[in-house]
Structures are given as C-alpha cells and as structure tokens.
Amino acid sequence: MSQDSPERPSVPLELPGPSLLQQKAPLFEQLQDCARRTTAPFHTPGHKAGQGMDASLVDAWGEAMLRADLPELPELDNLFAPSGVIAEAQVLAAQAFGAEQTWFLTNGSTAGILAAILATCGPGDAILLPRTVHCSVVSGLILSGARPVFVAPAYDALSGLVGGLAAADVAQVLEQHADIRAVMLVAPSYEGICGETGAIAHLCHGRGIPLLVDEAHGPHFGFHSDLPPRALSLGADLAVQSTHKVLSALTQAAMVHVRGELVDRDRLSQSLALVQSTSPNYLLLASLDLTRRQMATQGEQLMAQTLTLAWEARQRLSLLPGLWVVSLPDDLPGFTALDLTRLTVDVRGLGLSGFEADEWLCHHHGVIAELPSLTQLTFILSLGNRSADIDRLVSGLIELCEMAEGRNRIAPVKLPQFDDGVPEVACTPRQAFYAKQKVMGIEQAIGHAAAETVCPYPPGIPVLLPGEVVTVEAVAYLRQIQAQGGVISGCADETLATLRVLV
Ligand SMILES: Cc1ncc(COP(=O)(O)O)c(C=O)c1O
C-alpha cells in the first residue's frame, strides 16, 4: 500500500455521542476544588500554594497553577493505591483508549517501559526486541537483568527509514529461542511507521507470552479511521503511550494500558511504584484527565483537523524540487502503516544534511522540527498546530530550497547497525553495567565490548549498547552525526574522544 498521495482525510459529519461519564474530569475537578480552598497548609510542597515561591515565577506562571500544585491530600487519592478520583480518572481513560486497565504515569513513557519489562521479565529471562529500541528499554534491561534477543527491523534502503519487525523474522527467532518470555515492539517509530503488530501478537499468544508495545508516539491512534489502529486493538497486551508527546497533556504525563491476562497487573503496579516518584505531580495527572476528556469527546474531530493540515502540508511540500516527503514503501515487510500526521522530509536532494536544514529553518523562520537526522527532518503535527504553522513550514522550506540551489545531492547514508543484522554482543546490558570497565580512545575501543549506551538524541535509539561489540561502522556513523551537529548522549564523554569499555 503506497501513501504517496493519500486521500484527503475524511471529516466526521456527526460526532458519536460520548458517554456522559466521559464529559467529567474527576481528578481535575477535585484538584481545582482543593486549590480553591483556603487552608493553613502544613504539608508539602514547601511553596504552600505559591505563598513562598519566588515572585518571578508567580508573575510568570500565575498563582492559579501554583495553588493546584498539591500533594496526595486525602481527597486527591493515591497514585500507587488508587481508590478515589485517580481510580475514577484511570477507568475513564481505559474506556477512552480501548484498554481494560490504565495507569497514569508522571515520568513519561520511560516509566511505563521500565515497569513493563520489570513486570514481565526477571534476571536472565529472554525478551525479543527490535534493535531500534529507545534508550529507556536499555535501562529496563539493565534494571531487570532481562536478556535481550535483538532482531534487525525492516529497512527501506531508498528512504533510509527503519520499519518494524517482520512477523516472519519474529516467528523464526521464537522457534530458535523457546525461552523467550515476552516480545516488545516499537510501533509507531519516531517517523510514524508501524510494523506487523497484529501478526506478531498472534505469534506471541500462540506461545502464551505477552506482546508489549512502545506506542510512545501513538497516543492519538484509534481516534480517527485514517490513523493507524491502536496496538491494543491489534492484539497487544500492553501499550505505553507518551500522552504528552502528541496529545495535550503536560510534558512527562503518559499512560500505560493493558488488556487480557498475559500481563500480571499487580506486578505492573508494583513495578511502577519502583520506578516513579512517591510524590507524583498533580498538574501532570490532572492534565492526563483533561486530555482523556478532550479526546473522548472531541478526538475524532480534532484528529480530522490535524490530518487535514498534515495532508495540505504534504501536498504543498511534495511540489518543491529537491525535497522528498517520505511515504510508506510498497510491499515491504515491517512497513504496514504510516501515521500521516508525521512528516518526514528528505533533504539530500538539496545537498544539505537534516541537521544543517534544521538549523537554517530554526534560525531564519523559527520553524522547529522534532527530529533532524543526517538526511531528513521529521515534523510532528498535532492537535495544537494551526494553518499558520503550516504556512510558515512551507514558506521556510521554499526558501531553504532557493538557498540551497546548485548544491550537489548528498549520497545515501547507511545505518551500520540495522541493515546488516544485529551487532555481536559480549554480554547482557546488565552484566556490562556492573562489570569492570576502563576508558579508552574510541578508535582503540573498536573490537571491545562497550560498557555504556551511546545514543544520538533525538531519536534516542542507541548506536552502541552496553555489552555490544564496538564496530568501525558504528564509530564512523557516530562521528558523522557529531560532525553534522547532532547531539550524542548516554555516554560519559559526549565528545566521543573516549569510550568506556569492558575490561
Ligand atoms: C520510541 C520512544 N519510546 C519511549 C520514549 C520515552 O518517552 P518519554 O519521553 O515519554 O519518557 C521515547 C522518547 O522520545 C521514544 O521516542
């Protein structure tokens, strides 16, 4: 299925009547009641409804917000043993997001991913994963001691984009490793690509093991028929969503959703308590409650508007010579759907790297992409964008094309770690984390096992993992990213002069 010229998204004429319950926001409403009360506060936080706060912050952010920055007062329930307004808000969220049970997270999808791994895998248990996991998954492997069985994801040589896992590859690896306890997928990818989640769920369930999906970039899925389906609706047992990345929740506010019996829900609750603060931020929690209400009552309409903006941007940008708005490749396993609210624009034809184009657009037009890479820029369009943003994006890119006229096209960039299979590993990430380590010049480190994660951020997909053997290609790729202005994170020496390796 090609989405080169996707059809104009359909706008629902009639909104389905949301249940009356979905129009409530129990957690937000209770928080506001508490914030309006005048009390003699002898509890945390220390600023006491803003009274003790630095005046600049009160001026800048307003008193109302500070009055709502409250702790777990009896009326406000307890995130780790919910029985009041949090429990009510989570039930409504589960209904709205197609789950049987939902947990609110105040430490992003990161917390959900850590807890999902801790709840399903113990030390030494095998978990099947694409090599393109986010670095939070690596943290989950270190914390749990789970043994990753990495599978190379699908790769589109034309665009350089990485897709999901092909079900045939997963089937083969499951046959070879009868001890795999769980499978985790990333769907969608940062660029909005979804793989073969439904077929992989079927394979997992045939073996009685859960399918966990990092759906950090897909909390809007399922709210419009032109968006890819939700992982849970395709058979996933658990999905983690960064509500803050794409919907209207505050930064760090996220959710984990579960269906079925393959994930032990008590163990998931226990694991979430291990990785989250005992002082969850109620502003974040209340923003999740309101986002749920917004999506349950207006989600389809809002997504129709976003899809229309994205469609218009795609049409206008595809007319610009030298730019390529990347589409879903035809008939490639591991590439089953594309979230059309993600625009990935390939700038190789302009003779620029994604990093150079990003800097120019930001400096000259205030257009800020989510993800610059060596060859592309990915823009997230969401319910917060307006047509003026699209006009600015398009005029910025028109001028970028004019500025770059006459340059030579940049050659394709090969991602060393993904299209030639998965790299050799010396030990698990946890063993590497606790092993004796030493620091070496990065060139001398080639052939040794890395002791740390080395990760261009964004997208946060590690090029080197703890325990993985350092290759010439990986070092060259990192150097190239660094030379173009990309940010490298995760490692002690971010200049990449040195690397920690295993002794
Ligand atoms: C694929 C993926 N998974 C998980 C995360 C972590 O999400 P959060 O920032 O909400 O903790 C990210 C963050 O960028 C991501 O891109």
Side-chain angles (χ1 to χ4, degrees), residues 67-78:
R67 289 187 68 82
D69 183 21
L70 288 168
E72 289 176 302
L73 300 174
E75 304 87 329
L76 291 179
D77 207 0
N78 182 319

Side-chain angles (χ1 to χ4, degrees), residues 26-265:
L27 177 51
F28 172 74
E29 286 156 13
Q30 187 67 57
L31 183 62
Q32 285 309 96
D33 278 353
C34 291
R36 277 191 289 265
R37 268 190 333 210
T38 308
T39 60
F42 294 102
H43 54 69
T44 63
H47 65 71
K48 314 278 175 173
Q51 293 177 132
M53 182 59 84
D54 185 288
S56 313
L57 197 143
V58 183
D59 282 351
W61 293 355
E63 214 178 290
M65 194 271 278
L66 293 167
R67 289 187 68 82
D69 183 21
L70 288 168
E72 289 176 302
L73 300 174
E75 304 87 329
L76 291 179
D77 207 0
N78 182 319
L79 184 63
F80 300 105
S83 60
V85 282
I86 293 182
E88 217 185 310
Q90 290 186 155
V91 167
L92 289 171
Q95 263 175 25
F97 289 87
E100 286 172 7
Q101 192 169 347
T102 291
W103 289 254
F104 286 177
L105 310 174
T106 54
N107 190 25
S109 282
T110 297
I113 286 170
L114 298 180
I117 298 174
L118 286 166
T120 51
C121 298
D125 284 345
I127 179 168
L128 188 155
L129 307 150
R131 176 54 184 80
T132 40
V133 286
H134 183 256
C135 51
S136 56
V137 175
V138 182
S139 308
L141 297 173
I142 293 173
L143 291 176
S144 65
R147 188 164 41 88
V149 178
F150 284 119
V151 179
Y155 179 71
D156 175 28
L158 193 63
S159 65
L161 284 184
V162 171
L165 295 185
D169 293 342
V170 172
Q172 196 184 359
V173 177
L174 285 173
E175 281 300 316
Q176 289 160 354
H177 298 260
D179 58 343
I180 286 175
R181 292 282 300 272
V183 173
M184 180 174 261
L185 301 178
V186 184
S189 66
Y190 226 115
E191 293 86 359
I193 294 161
C194 299
E196 302 179 15
T197 305
I200 295 172
H202 192 67
L203 290 171
C204 289
H205 297 163
R207 283 163 179 77
I209 59 172
L211 175 64
L212 320 171
V213 178
D214 173 354
E215 203 174 34
H217 292 273
H220 54 311
F221 287 7
F223 285 101
H224 191 286
S225 56
D226 292 343
L227 289 169
R230 292 182 181 127
L232 289 186
S233 73
L234 295 171
D237 301 281
L238 177 150
V240 185
Q241 297 179 337
S242 288
T243 326
H244 69 96
K245 283 191 198 301
V246 190
L247 300 179
S248 57
L250 294 175
T251 296
Q252 282 194 17
M255 298 189 198
V256 56
H257 307 289
V258 168
R259 283 180 75 99
E261 303 307 322
L262 287 173
V263 174
D264 181 331
R265 299 182 194 185

Side-chain angles (χ1 to χ4, degrees), residues 209-471:
I209 59 172
L211 175 64
L212 320 171
V213 178
D214 173 354
E215 203 174 34
H217 292 273
H220 54 311
F221 287 7
F223 285 101
H224 191 286
S225 56
D226 292 343
L227 289 169
R230 292 182 181 127
L232 289 186
S233 73
L234 295 171
D237 301 281
L238 177 150
V240 185
Q241 297 179 337
S242 288
T243 326
H244 69 96
K245 283 191 198 301
V246 190
L247 300 179
S248 57
L250 294 175
T251 296
Q252 282 194 17
M255 298 189 198
V256 56
H257 307 289
V258 168
R259 283 180 75 99
E261 303 307 322
L262 287 173
V263 174
D264 181 331
R265 299 182 194 185
D266 290 337
R267 206 161 163 74
L268 182 64
S269 296
Q270 282 174 349
S271 305
L272 284 168
L274 289 184
V275 298
Q276 298 205 95
S277 165
T278 53
S279 308
N281 185 311
Y282 271 85
L283 303 173
L284 304 189
L285 294 174
S287 79
L288 285 171
D289 196 24
L290 287 182
T291 300
R292 182 273 312 154
R293 179 171 78 179
Q294 183 183 41
M295 293 310 289
T297 57
Q298 308 161 51
E300 194 179 11
Q301 193 73 38
L302 289 168
M303 289 304 104
Q305 284 163 15
T306 310
L307 282 159
T308 302
L309 285 184
W311 182 82
E312 281 169 13
R314 190 172 279 270
Q315 300 302 109
R316 289 166 71 184
L317 294 179
S318 60
L319 301 176
L320 301 183
L323 284 189
W324 176 34
V325 188
V326 175
S327 53
L328 197 67
D330 280 330
D331 299 328
L332 208 53
F335 288 81
T336 56
L338 174 66
D339 171 6
L340 291 167
T341 67
R342 289 285 151 116
L343 286 180
T344 296
V345 178
D346 196 305
V347 292
R348 274 175 292 180
L350 300 181
L352 294 170
S353 75
F355 298 110
E356 289 169 316
D358 184 49
E359 201 181 315
W360 192 91
L361 279 176
C362 177
H363 185 71
H364 294 274
H365 288 267
V367 170
I368 305 177
E370 167 66 18
L371 170 65
S373 70
L374 283 174
T375 55
Q376 292 160 347
L377 289 170
T378 297
F379 301 92
I380 297 182
L381 275 77
S382 78
L383 46 73
N385 284 111
R386 300 290 175 262
S387 44
D389 301 329
I390 305 303
D391 290 342
R392 201 157 161 182
L393 169 69
V394 173
S395 52
L397 283 167
I398 290 174
E399 271 188 40
L400 181 76
C401 295
E402 288 164 4
M403 182 280 285
E405 222 175 279
R407 288 174 178 241
N408 288 331
R409 187 184 168 79
I410 287 183
V413 175
K414 194 164 169 274
L415 304 183
Q417 75 278 33
F418 305 139
D419 57 342
D420 293 338
V422 294
E424 189 190 337
V425 289
C427 61
T428 68
R430 183 187 176 91
Q431 286 163 343
F433 186 81
Y434 286 111
K436 272 205 163 153
Q437 306 175 0
K438 63 180 176 185
V439 177
M440 290 181 100
I442 197 162
E443 264 75 28
Q444 287 78 56
I446 291 166
H448 292 256
E452 52 188 354
T453 304
V454 187
C455 190
Y457 214 108
I461 298 170
V463 171
L464 284 173
L465 294 179
E468 206 168 71
V469 177
V470 182
T471 60

